[in-house]
């Protein structure tokens, strides 16, 4: 639909309209005449519609006020005065995304749906929440979402609590978060970027309610924001809807500028600490856990070729194992373990580029700086390698053309790109167009383009920083003691009357959190009905055929001429005692060299010829029985069909000619694997604790524990020690072991190939893969006998943190129960009602969820949780909650709709290829999906109540894993069989 310039529709004046080929969209800019709000629309054929509302929210301190406002705005509003409107909205919606996010200088609220009616409902509620929140009328929201003094009895010590406070408490235990804060404090000392908009826990508790309200009143006005619509929808209906809210606001002349940081005259240095805890079993390993960084303020946010150039430079210097920096920082004379954490950051007016070395030592700071600058000087003078440049260019170009965003709806990502222009007074469409910028780079890239960037933006750039962040066992203790002293002093300052008032305030907060929503308030929420749902679930159509030793699976899909290919090599022949070595084999493939390629050359070849290739070990359990599984070494890749001709030789190199004899590289990779697993304990402890609980009740999970879990982690540490102590002899034995396993696994017998590609490319893809298969041997091998005995346990792992990841679960099928689709509805209700109220709102955890599946595995989990015992009790308390569950017919309908929304999330092309692979291997049939769909739609309250014994049986086993603070764990020590320090 083409509109005439200056057309006025429901108060919106069209300012600009153009077609953008790169995203196949008509792009428009409107201005709302009354309020001054800007609206950007991207109209196209995508039914996955997105709405966002973004505001410039500039921090003036580290109190995290923007973050707290973001949380509280989502709770209640004028027309929807519920206890938690956001969650109630989610319960009865088909939304594919419903969230808000605080950035360094803005806050974005966003929602998405594939259903037109649902999309309109989401926008209606969002607009009321954003522009008419009840934050002034409900002061308890600041305490609940931000922070408050917590006290239950006069005798106990006062503590801090609040959802944002606990979230950031967990965040600041992650060294990378502290390093980012340190870098921004020092690179931008005179702008808003010196502050953490998410909040530093020590500063959060300085924020007053008055300051919180003033911040909202200052920034949340329509003329300070940008609204955004994406997809195939009814534009006129949306404009009318937006005008209905915006017409009551008047624009002002107030403008919020983000000043440029004045450049430095020379590189700065800075130094800080992060907390670690020495446990009873901890090795003396923290001496090598310092983080070193060189950071530069680079270029102009509005220069699109420069942005894409730096994304390519990031790949060449930091993301590719072929990087020249890998050799000098992680190679034979290694001074660290990883350089993948830094990179190019466009999330602010002045972008930055950081080179970060993890797993180093403070004594290496000078060496780090010297080595990095020496490499950069050599590259600027002698040039980047042609293959490395081509690989980076292909990687970024492939990603842009594929256009998939697996972590979020595509429209949300495009909205962020629009904000890169709008927020800093540039053009909203500038970052959506990339073809011209790519052509500019392609013409220059082998003629000194990247060398010029290195010289001007790194070597000749004094606006830079050399930072050191080192671990310190005393920091954690000192921070805790300082906090306890402040709280003790505050308590001592309170009169008896004030102390009683504080206790009553906490009781009142808990009562408000427990109070159910009024039925008439719930009725105000717009929602769908069951008749709005699809008649039947979508099921991908694919075919399977057997040809001699190989099983072929074909999934025809319009994938923009990209073939998604999965090659699964049967590993059931590998003996149980060799499984940890199999895990290592999977981790080493593509990262060590081959007969004809060095590891640098192999990495470049992969990135030049494909859009990505990776290897992993997976145990695929039967869809309804987690104890029956088939293990594979999986090689997954995506490739443009016009580049298929080079694929057979590349696959042959990886599967037939890999060489494991480079001791320096193998040692480097083992170090990196250990380091990354240890980092995951702090960055994603809920993931590690959940995987551990699965090993208590699933044979498939035990297998994966050997190849990528805690058993594998312990194996890697022992292997490293053995290699260091016994030297070349031990390494030679390791190489022989890997070579034997490699020969065992890389062959045709039992090979499973899954392809997702356009139907017209079927013959082309098959011919290419059959060319590769000709070089693979085929040998019949007996299956190994695995004697896994999943055992219920209760374990705790302690580390320096103020919050916990708490997981409890089991397998209900092992306890005699069966799966039914109504369990999905129960899952949704427990998540969005019981756990949300008990563990998040009342307990203060950042998140809590129940996860269950048709295989019988069921797990409760909370994260960034200040509690421990109370949360475990809350998990067990789900049983009486379900036993006494009362839902009106309309409430049940909303819960069923919300459940269907969770079951029908859109997938990227790559995710669709993975789904088809899983369905084929684990025998998820269309009949099974449709049966479960019907069971969901016909769920009754009585049926839900009948599931209480299932929850009770799982909870009674008390199988749990906790990763958290030693103090909290020791307070509940009687709950655990094993306690270990990380």
């Amino acid at each position: 639909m083409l509109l005439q310039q200056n057309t006025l529709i429901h108060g919106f004046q069209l300012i600009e309209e153009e077609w953008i080929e790169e995203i196949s969209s008509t792009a428009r800019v409107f201005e709302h005449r009354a309020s001054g709000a800007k609206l950007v629309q991207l109209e196209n054929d995508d039914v996955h519609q997105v709405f966002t509302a973004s505001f410039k929210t500039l921090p003036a301190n580290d109190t995290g006020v923007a973050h707290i406002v973001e949380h509280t705005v989502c709770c209640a509003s004028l027309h929807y005065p519920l206890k938690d409107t956001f969650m109630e909205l989610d319960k009865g919606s088909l939304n594919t995304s419903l969230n808000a996010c605080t950035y360094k200088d803005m806050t974005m609220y966003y929602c998405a749906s594939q259903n037109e009616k649902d999309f309109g409902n989401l926008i209606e509620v969002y607009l009321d929440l954003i522009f008419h929140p009840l934050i002034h009328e409900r002061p308890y929201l600041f305490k609940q979402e931000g922070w408050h003094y917590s006290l239950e009895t006069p005798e106990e010590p006062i503590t801090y609590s609040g959802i944002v406070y606990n979230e950031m408490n967990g965040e600041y235990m992650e060294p990378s978060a502290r390093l980012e804060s340190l870098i921004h404090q020092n690179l931008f000392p005179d702008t808003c970027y010196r502050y953490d908009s998410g909040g530093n826990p020590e500063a959060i508790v300085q924020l007053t309610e008055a300051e919180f309200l003033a911040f909202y009143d200052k920034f949340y006005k329509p003329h300070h924001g940008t609204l955004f619509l994406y997809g195939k929808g009814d534009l006129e209906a949306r404009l009318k809807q937006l005008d209905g809210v915006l017409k009551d606001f008047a624009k002002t002349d107030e403008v919020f500028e983000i000043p440029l940081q004045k450049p430095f005259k020379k590189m700065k240095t800075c130094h800080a600490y992060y907390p670690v805890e020495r446990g009873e079993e901890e090795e003396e390993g923290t001496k090598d856990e310092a983080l070193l960084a060189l950071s530069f303020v680079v270029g102009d946010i509005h220069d699109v070729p420069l942005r894409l150039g730096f994304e390519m430079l990031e790949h060449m210097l930091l993301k590719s194992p072929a990087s020249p920096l890998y050799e000098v920082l992680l190679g034979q004379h290694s001074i660290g373990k990883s350089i993948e954490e830094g990179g190019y950051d466009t999330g602010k007016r002045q972008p930055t580029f950081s080179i970060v070395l993890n797993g180093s030592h403070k004594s290496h700071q000078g060496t780090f700086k010297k080595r990095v600058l020496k490499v950069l000087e050599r590259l600027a003078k002698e040039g980047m390698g042609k293959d490395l440049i081509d690989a980076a260019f292909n990687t970024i170009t492939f990603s842009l053309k594929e256009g998939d965003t697996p972590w979020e709806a595509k429209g949300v990502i495009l909205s962020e790109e629009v904000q890169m222009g709008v927020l800093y007074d540039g053009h909203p469409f500038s970052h959506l167009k990339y073809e011209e910028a790519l052509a500019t780079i392609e013409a220059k890239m082998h003629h000194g383009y990247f060398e010029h960037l290195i010289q001007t933006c790194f070597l000749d750039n004094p606006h830079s920083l050399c930072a050191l962040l080192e671990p310190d066992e005393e920091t954690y203790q000192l921070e805790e003691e300082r906090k306890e002293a402040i709280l003790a002093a505050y308590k001592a300052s309170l009169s008896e009357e004030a102390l009683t008032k504080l206790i009553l305030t906490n009781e009142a907060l808990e009562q408000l959190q427990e109070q159910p929503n009024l039925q008439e308030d719930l009725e105000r929420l717009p929602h769908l009905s069951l008749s709005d749902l699809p008649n039947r679930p979508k099921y991908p159509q694919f075919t399977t055929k057997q040809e001699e030793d190989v099983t072929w699976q074909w999934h025809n899909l319009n994938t923009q001429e990209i073939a998604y290919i999965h090659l699964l090599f049967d590993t059931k022949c590998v003996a149980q005692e060799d499984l940890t070595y199999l895990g290592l084999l999977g981790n080493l493939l593509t990262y060590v060299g081959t007969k004809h390629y060095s590891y640098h050359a192999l990495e470049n070849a992969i990135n030049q010829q494909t859009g990505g290739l990776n290897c992993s070990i997976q145990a695929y359990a039967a869809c309804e029985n987690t104890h029956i599984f088939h293990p594979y070494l999986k090689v997954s890749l995506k490739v443009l069909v016009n580049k298929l001709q080079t694929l057979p030789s590349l696959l042959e190199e990886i599967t037939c000619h890999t060489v494991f004899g480079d001791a320096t590289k193998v040692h480097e990779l083992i170090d990196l694997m250990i380091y990354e697993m240890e980092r995951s304990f702090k960055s994603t402890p809920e993931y590690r604790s959940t995987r551990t609980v699965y090993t208590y009740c699933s044979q498939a999970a035990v297998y994966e524990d050997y190849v990528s879990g805690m058993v594998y982690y312990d194996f890697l540490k022992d292997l490293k020690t053995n290699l260091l102590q016994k030297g070349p002899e031990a390494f030679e034995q390791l190489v022989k072991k890997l070579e034997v396993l490699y020969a065992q696994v890389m062959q045709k017998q039992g090979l499973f190939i899954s392809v997702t590609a356009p139907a017209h490319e079927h013959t082309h893809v098959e011919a290419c893969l059959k060319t590769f298969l000709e070089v693979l041997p085929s040998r019949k091998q007996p299956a190994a006998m695995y004697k896994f005995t999943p055992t219920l346990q209760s374990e705790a792992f302690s580390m320096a943190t103020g919050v916990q990841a708490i997981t409890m679960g089991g397998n209900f099928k092992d306890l005699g129960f069966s799966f039914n689709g109504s369990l999905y509805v129960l899952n949704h209700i427990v998540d969005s009602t019981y756990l949300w109220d008990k563990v998040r709102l009342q307990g203060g955890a950042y998140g809590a969820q129940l996860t269950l599946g048709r295989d019988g595995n069921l797990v409760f989990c909370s994260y960034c949780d200040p509690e421990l015992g109370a949360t475990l009790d809350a998990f067990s308390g789900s049983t009486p909650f379900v036993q006494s569950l009362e839902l009106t017919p309309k409430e049940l309908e909303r819960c069923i709709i919300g459940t269907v929304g969770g079951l029908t999330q859109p997938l990227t092309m790559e995710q669709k290829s993975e789904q088809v692979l899983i369905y084929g291997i684990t025998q998820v049939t269309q009949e099974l999906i449709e049966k479960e769909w019907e069971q969901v739609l016909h769920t009754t309250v009585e049926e839900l109540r009948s599931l209480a014994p299932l929850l009770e049986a799982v909870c009674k086993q008390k199988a749990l894993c906790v990763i958290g603070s030693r103090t909290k764990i020791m307070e509940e020590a009687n709950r655990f069989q094993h306690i270990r320090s990380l």
Side-chain angles (χ1 to χ4, degrees):
M1 176 177 68
L2 293 177
L3 302 177
Q4 189 174 348
Q5 191 91 358
N6 295 318
T7 298
L8 191 66
I9 311 174
H10 297 296
F12 283 90
Q13 183 177 3
L14 178 65
I15 306 299
E16 185 177 352
E17 176 181 86
E18 68 173 284
W19 172 259
I20 300 180
E21 185 65 34
E22 288 88 340
I23 56 173
S24 301
S25 301
T26 298
R28 302 186 179 100
V29 179
F30 295 89
E31 182 178 318
H32 189 255
R33 295 277 293 273
S35 68
K38 181 174 286 185
L39 168 68
V40 176
Q41 185 213 11
L42 301 179
E43 183 178 73
N44 49 53
D45 292 330
D46 194 346
V47 297
H48 191 191
Q49 296 187 76
V50 169
F51 168 75
T52 75
S54 304
F55 300 88
K56 189 179 287 187
T57 49
L58 310 182
N61 50 49
D62 288 316
T63 59
V65 59
H67 191 182
I68 296 171
V69 167
E70 174 228 307
H71 274 241
T72 53
V73 158
C74 297
C75 291
S77 63
L78 180 65
H79 292 103
Y80 307 106
L82 299 162
K83 184 169 61 176
D84 199 306
T85 304
F86 215 58
M87 184 52 64
E88 291 297 336
L89 179 64
D90 185 53
K91 281 182 188 177
S93 166
L94 293 176
N95 75 82
T96 58
S97 190
L98 190 69
N99 213 333
C101 185
T102 303
Y103 299 76
K104 292 182 178 71
D105 50 17
M106 76 165 183
T107 304
M108 178 189 286
Y109 299 82
Y110 55 93
C111 59
S113 180
Q114 299 176 98
N115 181 285
E116 177 71 24
K117 181 179 177 181
D118 188 48
F119 187 57
N121 292 345
L122 296 173
I123 294 176
E124 179 182 331
V125 177
Y126 257 59
L127 291 173
D128 201 54
L129 287 169
I130 293 166
F131 293 114
H132 302 292
L134 295 183
I135 56 175
H136 290 81
E137 294 80 0
R138 296 186 178 181
Y140 77 85
L141 292 176
F142 171 71
K143 296 181 175 64
Q144 171 184 287
E145 300 294 325
W147 78 278
H148 64 276
Y149 293 111
S150 180
L151 185 68
E152 293 184 359
T153 66
E155 296 77 26
E156 66 184 20
I158 292 176
T159 58
Y160 295 124
S161 191
I163 292 170
V164 169
Y165 173 80
N166 292 326
E167 176 191 350
M168 298 311 296
N169 210 356
E171 181 80 7
Y172 265 71
M173 291 301 164
E174 169 64 18
S176 60
R178 296 206 180 210
L179 180 64
E180 182 179 4
S181 177
L182 178 67
I183 289 171
H184 282 84
Q185 285 170 19
N186 287 275
L187 275 183
F188 301 100
D190 306 314
T191 78
C192 64
Y193 300 119
R194 68 172 294 185
Y195 303 113
D196 185 345
S197 60
N200 183 317
E202 291 190 354
I204 288 173
V205 296
Q206 304 301 317
L207 180 66
T208 67
E209 186 181 348
E211 292 168 335
F212 154 77
L213 295 172
F215 188 90
Y216 172 84
D217 294 339
K218 179 179 180 179
F219 290 107
Y220 279 68
K221 294 184 174 69
H223 67 277
H224 293 153
T226 302
L227 307 178
F228 174 86
L229 289 167
Y230 169 88
K232 182 181 181 179
D234 187 337
L235 175 61
E236 187 173 353
R238 296 286 81 83
L239 295 179
K240 182 178 180 180
Q241 185 178 32
L242 295 172
D243 180 58
V245 174
L246 298 176
K247 66 184 180 181
D248 295 331
F249 293 85
K251 60 182 173 184
T252 70
D253 297 327
E254 191 176 24
V255 176
F256 301 126
E257 297 285 353
I258 303 176
L260 292 171
Q261 174 63 50
K262 184 179 178 181
F264 303 159
K265 293 183 179 179
K266 64 177 183 178
M267 178 181 282
K268 291 176 64 174
T269 60
C270 60
H271 179 199
Y273 299 91
Y274 73 89
V276 292
E277 177 186 72
R278 180 179 292 282
E280 294 171 4
E281 300 172 44
E282 187 176 14
E283 300 172 10
E284 197 176 318
T286 56
K287 65 180 183 299
D288 293 324
E289 300 302 331
L291 285 79
L292 306 174
L294 281 172
S295 296
F296 305 85
V297 176
V298 293
D300 182 346
I301 188 66
H302 300 305
D303 189 332
V304 178
L306 188 69
R307 175 174 74 89
L308 293 178
F310 267 110
E311 288 180 6
M312 294 174 193
L313 199 57
E314 175 187 76
H315 185 271
M316 287 184 265
L317 294 179
L318 302 176
K319 306 306 180 186
S320 169
S323 161
L325 289 175
Y326 266 67
E327 195 67 42
V328 299
L329 298 177
L330 308 175
Q332 187 170 3
H333 302 290
S334 169
I335 57 170
K337 296 174 183 174
S338 170
I339 60 170
E340 294 185 5
E341 193 166 292
Y344 182 54
D345 180 4
T346 58
K348 44 190 174 286
R349 185 176 179 187
Q350 293 172 274
T352 55
F353 194 103
S354 296
I355 299 168
V356 177
L357 179 64
N358 290 290
S360 190
H361 188 269
K362 64 179 180 180
S363 63
H364 294 317
Q365 186 177 22
T367 305
F368 165 71
K369 178 181 175 182
K370 183 178 178 181
R371 289 187 184 181
V372 169
L373 294 179
K374 187 175 180 180
V375 168
L376 295 177
E377 287 168 358
R378 175 171 59 80
L379 293 174
K381 183 178 179 180
E382 301 175 9
M384 305 284 286
K386 181 182 183 301
D387 287 344
L388 185 59
I389 292 174
D390 288 342
F393 184 83
N394 181 69
T395 297
I396 300 304
T397 301
F398 189 102
S399 176
L400 289 169
K401 292 185 182 299
E402 183 182 29
D404 273 348
T405 52
W407 60 92
E408 196 51 86
K410 184 175 182 177
V412 176
I413 305 304
L414 293 177
S415 177
E416 290 180 327
E417 293 184 2
V418 165
Q419 284 302 316
M420 275 198 279
V422 173
L423 199 63
Y424 311 115
D425 306 317
H427 197 282
F429 305 155
S430 59
H431 289 281
L432 302 177
K433 305 171 186 177
Y434 56 78
E435 289 291 1
E436 186 178 333
L438 287 176
T440 299
I441 294 171
E442 188 171 22
K444 298 178 179 179
M445 65 186 190
H446 293 307
H447 304 284
Y449 176 75
F450 292 108
E451 292 79 0
H452 176 72
L453 286 187
I454 290 171
Q455 186 67 50
T456 57
C457 296
F458 296 156
L459 298 174
D460 297 339
N461 181 7
H463 196 170
S464 54
L465 174 75
C466 185
L468 164 63
L469 183 73
E470 63 173 307
D472 180 51
E473 294 167 19
E474 293 184 3
T475 296
Y476 177 62
Q477 192 63 34
L478 289 172
E479 288 180 357
E480 289 298 302
E481 289 174 357
R482 182 164 63 245
K483 179 174 69 175
E484 290 170 5
I486 291 170
L487 288 169
Y490 174 71
K491 184 179 181 182
S493 72
L494 297 178
S495 64
E496 187 175 334
E497 181 181 353
L499 203 61
T500 301
K501 184 179 178 181
L502 177 59
I503 293 170
L504 293 174
T505 298
N506 276 273
E507 290 176 355
L509 175 60
E510 187 171 340
Q511 288 168 5
L512 286 167
Q513 291 167 336
E514 290 180 340
Q515 191 174 315
N517 287 302
L518 296 175
Q519 197 60 41
E520 55 264 37
D521 291 338
L522 285 170
E523 293 294 332
R524 296 187 185 192
L525 271 179
H527 61 85
L528 303 176
S529 64
L530 292 179
S531 61
D532 294 311
L533 300 181
N535 292 325
R536 57 191 301 184
K538 290 182 180 179
Y539 186 85
Q541 299 304 308
F542 58 91
T543 59
T544 304
K545 66 177 180 178
Q546 187 74 32
E547 288 189 1
E548 297 178 349
D549 300 326
V550 181
T551 303
W552 293 82
Q553 179 178 272
W554 292 95
H555 178 214
N556 295 329
L557 194 67
N558 180 12
T559 59
Q560 302 182 69
E561 303 306 303
I562 296 172
Y564 297 89
I565 300 171
H566 304 281
L567 305 170
L568 282 76
F569 295 87
D570 194 341
T571 63
K572 64 178 182 289
C573 59
V574 178
Q576 183 168 334
E577 61 267 24
D578 291 334
L579 290 180
T580 49
Y581 290 96
L582 177 64
L584 180 60
L585 174 69
N587 285 145
L588 293 178
L589 286 177
T590 75
Y591 291 97
V592 295
T594 67
K595 181 179 179 181
H596 303 106
Y597 287 93
S598 68
Y599 67 86
H600 295 98
L602 180 63
E603 174 69 16
N604 286 333
I606 289 171
N607 289 323
Q608 284 175 285
Q609 298 172 32
T610 76
L613 185 153
N614 62 78
C615 304
S616 60
I617 312 296
Q618 304 275 336
Y620 291 93
C623 67
E624 297 186 277
N625 189 337
T626 192
H627 301 305
I628 299 174
F629 64 92
H630 200 132
Y632 291 99
L633 189 156
K634 182 171 74 166
V635 179
S636 295
L637 62 110
K638 48 190 175 181
V639 58
L640 291 169
V641 292
N642 62 10
K643 289 193 174 185
L644 279 169
Q645 66 275 9
T646 61
L647 187 61
S649 60
L650 180 64
L651 290 174
E652 179 182 350
E653 281 298 317
I654 294 167
T655 60
C656 299
H657 303 305
T658 293
V659 176
F660 302 99
D662 185 341
T664 300
K665 190 62 180 175
V666 172
H667 277 87
E668 171 198 320
L669 290 169
I670 290 173
D671 269 352
L672 177 60
M673 292 170 214
I674 294 171
Y675 179 76
E676 292 298 336
M677 292 190 77
E678 289 175 343
R679 274 198 61 215
S680 72
F681 297 138
K682 282 197 172 185
S683 60
T684 54
E686 65 277 10
Y687 167 75
R688 284 292 165 196
S689 62
T690 298
R691 282 198 60 178
T692 299
V693 167
Y694 282 142
T695 66
Y696 304 160
C697 55
S698 163
Q699 297 225 23
V702 175
Y703 184 98
E704 293 199 340
D705 204 33
Y706 274 80
V707 297
S708 60
M710 292 299 291
V711 172
Y712 182 60
Y713 168 66
D714 289 335
F715 158 76
L716 288 176
K717 291 203 301 179
D718 291 342
L719 177 63
K720 178 182 176 180
T721 301
N722 186 50
L723 291 175
L724 289 173
Q725 290 177 350
K726 297 184 179 179
E729 180 184 348
F731 183 74
E732 187 177 330
Q733 292 173 349
L734 174 63
V735 171
K736 288 180 180 177
K737 173 71 77 174
L738 292 171
E739 288 174 344
V740 169
L741 286 174
Y742 183 63
Q744 261 187 290
V745 171
M746 293 303 182
Q747 52 98 27
K748 278 191 286 192
Q749 185 71 35
L751 179 62
F752 189 103
I753 300 177
S754 179
V755 179
T756 296
H760 65 272
E761 296 291 352
H762 182 132
T763 303
H764 187 192
V765 176
E766 184 174 23
C768 163
L769 292 174
K770 284 187 173 179
T771 299
F772 158 63
L773 293 181
E774 290 174 2
V775 304
L776 281 181
S778 180
R779 60 179 75 90
K780 291 190 175 182
Q781 301 176 103
M785 296 296 293
Y786 299 131
K787 297 180 180 179
F788 298 142
T789 53
T791 306
L792 296 176
Q793 298 186 62
S794 53
E795 299 178 276
F797 301 87
S798 71
M799 62 182 184
T801 181
V803 290
Q804 282 62 244
I806 306 168
T807 311
M808 182 170 79
N811 188 285
F812 57 81
K813 285 192 170 182
D814 288 347
L815 298 170
F817 297 91
S818 59
F819 180 82
N820 183 287
S822 59
L823 274 164
Y824 288 135
V825 182
L826 180 73
N827 194 151
H828 182 63
I829 292 170
V830 171
D831 262 3
S832 60
T833 303
Y834 177 76
L835 292 178
W836 183 267
D837 288 350
K838 286 291 184 184
V839 181
R840 181 181 165 98
L841 297 187
Q842 295 172 33
Y846 179 56
Q849 63 192 39
L850 171 65
T851 303
L852 57 82
R854 59 175 71 90
D855 60 1
N857 287 335
L858 182 153
V859 168
F860 292 92
C861 179
S862 72
Y863 46 97
C864 290
D865 191 338
E867 302 293 341
L868 202 170
T871 297
L872 290 172
D873 292 341
F875 290 164
S876 297
S878 61
T879 299
F881 166 77
V882 174
Q883 285 172 333
S884 59
L885 185 65
E886 295 287 346
L887 295 171
T888 66
K890 285 188 176 180
E891 287 174 326
L892 177 60
E893 181 180 59
R894 288 178 59 234
C895 291
I896 290 173
I897 292 167
T899 302
V900 170
L903 295 174
T904 56
Q905 292 291 298
L907 302 174
T908 66
M909 295 298 179
E910 189 168 4
Q911 289 168 336
K912 287 176 181 178
S913 78
E914 186 71 35
Q915 180 191 60
V916 165
L917 168 67
I918 293 171
Y919 279 12
I921 292 178
T922 65
Q923 300 300 301
V924 178
T925 63
Q926 184 167 354
E927 292 72 23
L928 177 62
I929 295 293
E930 290 180 351
K931 182 180 81 171
E932 293 175 353
W933 180 274
E934 289 299 315
Q935 290 168 342
V936 167
L937 294 183
H938 294 94
T939 297
T940 65
V941 176
E942 292 72 25
E943 192 173 10
L944 292 170
R945 289 196 204 107
S946 73
L947 297 172
L950 181 154
L951 289 178
E952 183 178 32
V954 172
C955 291
K956 274 187 175 180
Q957 294 180 115
K958 301 190 183 303
L960 57 104
C961 178
V962 173
I963 299 177
S965 78
R966 172 163 286 274
T967 300
K968 276 289 183 183
I969 288 170
M970 296 314 295
E971 286 175 2
E972 304 287 343
N974 62 320
R975 294 181 186 261
F976 304 107
Q977 295 168 316
H978 310 289
I979 297 175
R980 170 182 171 185
S981 293
L982 288 173

